[in-house]
């Protein structure tokens, strides 16, 4: 019988919660202050996590925000390593989520 709530979904929820807290409280880059983590998807082997983000301001430059997430990616992965309950922390890949702007 398949599980109703598989481990990958629990890991996705945990990563989203941790990264949202990190972006809101710990990251010092002012470019990230007006952004939110909208979703996280992980690969089946939990080696890669695609982190979807969105800007709260409609006039925000997408390239500037992408560069900010790229530069803060190592810090975020380090914070995940401290709080995540997996042996190997997934590689973070950031992608802009334009669903909120539509």
């Amino acid at each position: 019988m398949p599980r109703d709530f598989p481990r990958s979904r629990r890991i996705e929820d945990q990563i989203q919660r941790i990264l949202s807290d990190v972006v809101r409280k710990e990251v010092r880059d002012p470019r990230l202050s007006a952004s939110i983590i909208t979703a996280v998807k992980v690969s089946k082997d939990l080696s890669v996590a695609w982190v979807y983000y969105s800007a709260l301001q409609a006039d925000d430059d997408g390239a500037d925000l992408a560069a900010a997430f790229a530069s803060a990616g190592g810090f975020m992965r380090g914070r995940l390593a401290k709080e995540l309950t997996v042996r190997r922390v997934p590689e973070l890949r950031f992608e802009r989520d334009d669903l909120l702007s539509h």
Side-chain angles (χ1 to χ4, degrees), residues 32-50:
L32 295 179
S33 64
S35 64
I36 57 171
I37 306 294
T38 57
V40 174
K41 298 292 180 197
V42 295
S43 61
K44 287 189 179 199
D45 62 352
L46 303 177
S47 64
V48 178
W50 289 272

Side-chain angles (χ1 to χ4, degrees), residues 5 24 30 35-36 59 66 80:
F5 198 61
R24 191 181 52 211
S35 64
I36 57 171
D59 60 344
L80 277 178

Side-chain angles (χ1 to χ4, degrees), residues 46-102:
L46 303 177
S47 64
V48 178
W50 289 272
V51 180
Y52 296 94
Y53 62 90
S54 182
L56 295 176
Q57 301 169 350
D59 60 344
D60 192 21
D61 183 26
D64 192 37
L65 196 55
F69 271 105
S71 68
F75 175 74
M76 290 182 187
R77 191 170 184 209
R79 292 297 295 145
L80 277 178
K82 290 181 182 177
E83 298 185 32
L84 203 58
T85 57
V86 294
R87 241 179 234 188
R88 185 179 154 170
V89 178
E91 172 190 345
L92 299 177
R93 296 185 183 167
F94 296 99
E95 294 186 19
R96 186 173 177 102
D97 187 7
D98 291 327
L99 188 61
L100 292 177
S101 65
H102 296 293

Side-chain angles (χ1 to χ4, degrees), residues 1-5:
M1 176 190 284
R3 290 182 171 173
D4 292 334
F5 198 61

